[in-house]
Amino acid sequence: DIQMTQSPSSLSASVGDRVTITCRASQSISSYLNWYQQKPGKAPKLLIYAASSLQSGVPSRFSGSGSGTDFTLTISSLQPEDFATYYCQQSYSTFITFGQGTRLEIK
Amino acid sequence: QLQLQESGPGLVKPSETLSLTCTVSGGSISSSSYYWGWIRQPPGKGLEWIGSIYYSGSTYYNPSLKSRVTISVDTSKNQFSLKLSSVTAADTAVYYCARTVTVSDAFDIWGQGTMVTVSS
């Protein structure tokens, strides 16, 4: 199976900060990488698909980049509603796997 | 607007079979543009993909669960279902159903999730 490793596991930041979350795959997955946001008690929400494509309705302050094994999710200017847990997910293999999550907290 | 809703028992005894159904409303389950999946999340932990199914009935399962999982689809009812046999406390989790976009293999629409506890 393809292991997905996110860093950091948790992060404290302030409103207005620029934040970057990294996801590394254990083997090349081309651009088959998706990002989700999950708030407590809610289902995950798709933010970015195919590494860098913004899902419809998602604010443009979210962006994704990368290919191969290394990927990043960037939030250009944190808003209060962005404090949540973020997951990456690879869809290169028919055995779909998620990263362990990155918890973004208010500083 | 397409919506997904999970349903099924919230409490299952150890060694028994967990059965959940996902009802799709506001759209058809029989589209080649999408396929359908189950994902679970143990309390306080991350997301685990269980398996996926196309409307044709083709399935893909997580190898670690494959021996215990069956996912099926009923196009006449616009539903797909999950059965997980021989459950233990480790199967306690929130279970989500989700739509997957074929071209991106991303889960773009999720159900609200249903908590299933395995306990005697």
Side-chain angles (χ1 to χ4, degrees):
Chain A
D1 57 324
I2 300 174
Q3 305 289 335
M4 307 301 294
T5 304
Q6 291 181 231
S7 60
S9 295
S10 63
L11 174 62
S12 294
S14 301
V15 172
D17 284 353
R18 180 182 180 89
V19 167
T20 297
I21 298 170
T22 297
C23 180
R24 175 165 289 176
S26 60
Q27 68 180 72
S28 177
I29 58 170
S30 185
S31 296
Y32 290 88
L33 192 283
N34 308 308
W35 289 98
Y36 301 86
Q37 175 194 67
Q38 186 179 34
K39 295 181 179 180
K42 300 294 186 182
K45 172 187 175 183
L46 178 64
L47 300 175
I48 301 287
Y49 63 92
S52 60
S53 296
L54 192 66
Q55 174 70 359
S56 176
V58 174
S60 59
R61 62 181 179 272
F62 291 93
S63 64
S65 65
S67 66
T69 60
D70 295 316
F71 302 86
T72 58
L73 172 70
T74 299
I75 309 172
S76 60
S77 178
L78 273 175
Q79 299 301 301
E81 61 268 29
D82 299 338
F83 292 94
T85 300
Y86 293 84
Y87 293 93
C88 61
Q89 171 239 328
Q90 65 80 20
S91 54
Y92 178 84
S93 166
T94 54
F95 178 10
I96 293 168
T97 50
F98 290 88
Q100 82 279 14
T102 295
R103 185 175 179 182
L104 179 54
E105 301 174 318
I106 301 173
K107 183 182 286 184
Chain B
Q1 183 176 354
L2 189 122
Q3 293 184 316
L4 286 75
Q5 178 69 57
E6 305 89 351
S7 59
L11 180 64
V12 181
K13 290 182 169 56
S15 80
E16 295 190 345
T17 296
L18 178 160
S19 296
L20 296 174
T21 295
C22 183
T23 300
V24 179
S25 59
S28 174
I29 201 170
S30 301
S31 170
S32 59
S33 298
Y34 307 106
Y35 58 104
W36 310 90
W38 289 97
I39 301 100
R40 70 180 182 179
Q41 185 171 37
K45 296 187 178 181
L47 300 166
E48 180 181 35
W49 172 72
I50 299 170
S52 298
I53 188 165
Y54 287 82
Y55 76 93
S56 62
S58 297
T59 52
Y60 300 89
Y61 297 139
N62 184 323
S64 69
L65 299 170
K66 187 174 183 178
S67 64
R68 299 194 291 130
V69 172
T70 302
I71 297 176
S72 59
V73 64
D74 186 336
T75 55
S76 67
K77 295 183 179 179
N78 232 30
Q79 295 176 333
F80 61 106
S81 299
L82 168 69
K83 291 188 184 298
L84 180 65
S85 64
S86 304
V87 297
T88 69
D91 295 309
T92 294
V94 176
Y95 285 76
Y96 295 100
C97 59
R99 186 181 81 170
T100 314
V101 182
T102 304
V103 294
S104 66
D105 295 307
F107 299 106
D108 70 328
I109 298 178
W110 295 63
Q112 65 183 23
T114 187
M115 180 68 199
V116 178
T117 301
V118 178
S119 176
S120 55

